[in-house]
Amino acid sequence: MSRQSRTEFPTPVFITDSDELAALCARLEAEPFVTIDTEFIRERTYWPELCVVQLGGENDVAVIDAQAEGIDMAPLGALLANDRVTKVFHAARQDVEIFLLMFGATPTPIFDTQVAAMVAGFGDQVGYDALVSSLTGTQIDKSHRFSDWSARPLSASQLSYAAADVTHLRTVYQKLLARLERENRGDWVQEEMAALTDPGLYRTDPETMWQRLKLRPSNRRQAGLLRAIAAWREREAQRVNIPRGRLLKDEAIPEIAALAPDSAEALTRARGITRGFAEGKSGVSLLAAIAESKSFPDDALPEIAPRGEREGPRASPALVALLRVLLAAKSEEHGVAPRLLASSDDLDKLATEAEPQVPATQGWRRRMFGEDAMALRDGRVALATRGKRIRLIHLDAETPAPETEA
C-alpha cells in the first residue's frame, strides 16, 4: 500500500524536457505499478495525435507534453516495456493503441480497471467517474473533458484535471486488486489483460473492412469490388491521415461498386464524388484498385452465400431469449457484468452450434455460464423461479442444480 493517505497526492509537475522525462521514468521503473492516461485528438485524423501523457507513481505525478519541441519519448517506451512494472489504465484500448503506434509494441504487463471492475461486479463498461466515486468517494472534475489538448499553452486547470486521472487511479487499482484477490478472481482478470496486450487487437486488415459494412452482394464479382473499394479507402485514409468517413462515406462504397467505373468521368456519377476527387491522386488510385479487382480470376474473389440463404442455421429467437435470461441470472449470482460473460454473438452460436468456439465456452466463462447454457439448450436443465430468483433444475433428477441459484 502507498505510504500516503488516500487524500494526499504528490504535487503534479509538467514535463517538457527530455532529461526530466528520463529521470521520471528511471524513478518509476523502481515501483511495482504506475498509473497511466493519455489525452489525444482524433476528430480530424485517421491516426490519433498524442498531446499529453499522464504518469502516476507513489511519489510522482507528471503530465508530459508529448508535443514539446525536441522531447525524446524513448524513456517512456522503456518504462512501458519493463515487465517488472504493472501499467495501470482505465479503458486501456485507445491508450495501448497509441503506444503501439509510437513504440512498435504494446505495454506489458497491464491492468485495465474498467475490465477488472466488470469482473468485480460494477456492471458493463463502468465509467471512470463512477468507479472513482464508488471506491474513493471523490467526485471527478469534468470541466476539461472536451478540451483541445493540442492547443498551447495548457492552463493550470487543464494540468490539474489531467493529473487527477492518474492520482485517483492508484486508489482505484489498489482497492480493485484487493477485492479480486479476496474473491479469488485474479486469474480471470489476467486472461483479459493478456488479450489486451496482443498487437493484433489493434491492427485492422484492409481486406476485411468490407465485411463491416454488412452488405449483401449479389455475386462474387460485386463482392470483390466492395472488398477492393473498402480496402482502398482504409489504406488511403491511413496515407493521407484523415478519418475514413471523411475520405469516402460508407454509403458511397456500394454505389461505386455498382457503377464499377473505369474513368474519372464515370466515377463522378457516384453521389458525393467531385471531379476534383475523381481526377486527383486519390481518385486515380481508387480507379486502379477497381481495375485490379476486375482482373481477378473467379477463385480469387470472396465467397458469398447464395441469395436467400443464410450463413449457417438460424438461431431460434426464443432460445436466444432463454439463454439471455440465464446469462442475466448468472451475472447476478456471481457479480460479473453480463457483457463480460457472453456477447450476443456468443448466444447466437450457443443456440446453433454443438460446441461453439467462443469466449463463453472457454476458461472461467465456461465454468460460470457456458456449461449450463449448453445444458439448457440441449434440454438437460430447465429454468425455474424461487421467490424473486432464478434456479436451474436438472430434468433427469428433478432437483436443483448445485450452486446455480441467482
Side-chain angles (χ1 to χ4, degrees):
M1 292 292 291
S2 169
R3 292 191 295 270
Q4 303 188 33
S5 73
R6 290 185 297 173
T7 57
E8 293 178 343
F9 298 115
T11 302
V13 296
F14 187 43
I15 291 181
T16 60
D17 177 84
S18 298
D19 291 339
E20 290 179 346
L21 176 59
L24 169 70
C25 291
R27 291 193 300 272
L28 292 177
E29 289 205 21
E31 302 207 15
F33 73 93
V34 59
T35 53
I36 307 176
D37 192 26
T38 65
E39 304 294 346
F40 60 91
I41 56 175
R42 200 174 195 169
E43 291 78 8
R44 301 182 298 272
T45 60
Y46 181 95
W47 305 109
E49 180 184 346
L50 181 62
C51 301
V52 299
V53 179
Q54 303 99 290
L55 297 177
E58 185 173 25
N59 300 299
D60 292 282
V61 174
V63 178
I64 303 158
D65 186 355
Q67 298 188 343
E69 184 176 356
I71 192 167
D72 181 4
M73 300 292 283
L76 175 62
L79 173 63
L80 297 176
N82 188 330
D83 59 11
R84 297 186 303 276
V85 183
T86 298
K87 274 63 74 172
V88 180
F89 300 87
H90 182 83
R93 288 190 57 159
Q94 292 189 91
D95 300 318
V96 171
E97 179 190 15
I98 287 171
F99 292 133
L100 174 62
L101 292 170
M102 284 185 67
F103 302 117
T106 58
T108 184
I110 68 173
F111 187 98
D112 187 332
T113 57
Q114 185 178 70
V115 174
M118 293 168 70
V119 174
F122 284 86
D124 283 350
Q125 292 186 303
V126 60
Y128 182 65
D129 301 351
L131 196 56
V132 169
S133 177
S134 176
L135 291 176
T136 74
T138 302
Q139 298 300 315
I140 295 293
D141 175 17
K142 303 179 183 180
S143 59
H144 291 288
R145 177 158 295 177
F146 301 107
S147 281
D148 180 359
W149 292 95
S150 65
R152 295 295 183 271
L154 296 173
S155 68
S157 60
Q158 281 180 299
L159 296 176
S160 177
Y161 168 91
D165 283 344
V166 291
T167 52
H168 296 298
L169 192 55
R170 287 185 62 83
T171 306
V172 168
Y173 167 68
Q174 289 169 325
K175 290 199 169 188
L176 277 176
L177 192 62
R179 183 165 175 165
L180 293 169
E181 290 174 350
R182 189 166 58 247
E183 297 175 356
N184 294 317
R185 296 186 178 187
D187 290 344
W188 303 0
V189 173
Q190 289 307 313
E191 290 182 31
E192 305 308 306
M193 302 312 160
L196 285 172
T197 60
D198 177 8
L201 183 65
Y202 306 94
R203 292 176 176 146
T204 59
D205 179 2
E207 297 300 319
T208 64
M209 292 302 292
W210 73 282
Q211 297 171 345
R212 299 187 183 187
L213 301 174
K214 306 294 184 183
L215 301 172
R216 296 283 292 174
S218 58
N219 55 64
R220 293 180 66 187
R221 185 61 56 184
Q222 186 183 45
L225 286 168
L226 290 170
R227 179 179 65 183
I229 296 166
W232 168 85
R233 181 178 72 164
E234 198 68 16
R235 294 189 178 98
E236 186 70 0
Q238 293 175 357
R239 184 186 72 81
V240 299
N241 195 24
I242 62 173
R244 62 176 71 90
R246 287 195 182 186
L247 177 67
L248 192 68
K249 295 186 181 301
D250 285 355
E251 54 267 27
I253 292 177
E255 186 169 348
I256 294 171
L259 289 170
D262 56 6
S263 68
E265 179 65 31
L267 181 56
T268 60
R269 298 188 190 119
R271 283 175 296 178
I273 301 298
T274 65
R275 182 168 295 278
F277 174 92
E279 294 178 349
K281 185 173 182 178
S282 292
V284 170
S285 64
L286 172 56
L287 289 169
I290 292 171
E292 181 183 26
S293 177
K294 289 178 180 179
S295 71
F296 286 163
D298 288 347
D299 60 4
L301 297 173
E303 295 284 353
I304 63 170
R307 280 200 175 275
E309 293 186 17
R310 291 177 54 88
E311 297 179 2
R314 181 186 297 271
S316 163
L319 177 54
V320 172
L322 198 60
L323 290 171
R324 202 174 296 281
V325 171
L326 177 63
L327 176 62
K330 290 292 185 179
S331 169
E332 181 182 355
E333 176 187 358
H334 295 286
V336 175
R339 180 177 170 274
L340 193 62
L341 275 178
S343 67
S344 294
D345 184 59
D346 289 355
L347 297 183
D348 286 342
K349 290 184 177 179
L350 278 164
T352 57
E353 300 177 16
E355 188 68 42
Q357 297 303 302
V358 295
T361 63
Q362 309 297 320
W364 64 271
R365 292 179 177 86
R366 184 184 185 100
R367 297 188 296 274
M368 186 176 290
F369 171 73
E371 288 284 1
D372 287 332
M374 289 185 285
L376 180 63
R377 175 202 63 199
D378 296 341
R380 292 181 280 117
V381 299
L383 294 179
T385 60
R386 172 179 291 171
K388 296 181 179 180
R389 301 179 75 83
I390 300 293
R391 64 172 181 163
L392 281 177
I393 296 178
H394 286 297
L395 296 182
D396 55 351
E398 293 292 325
T399 57
E403 299 181 8
T404 56
E405 292 193 9

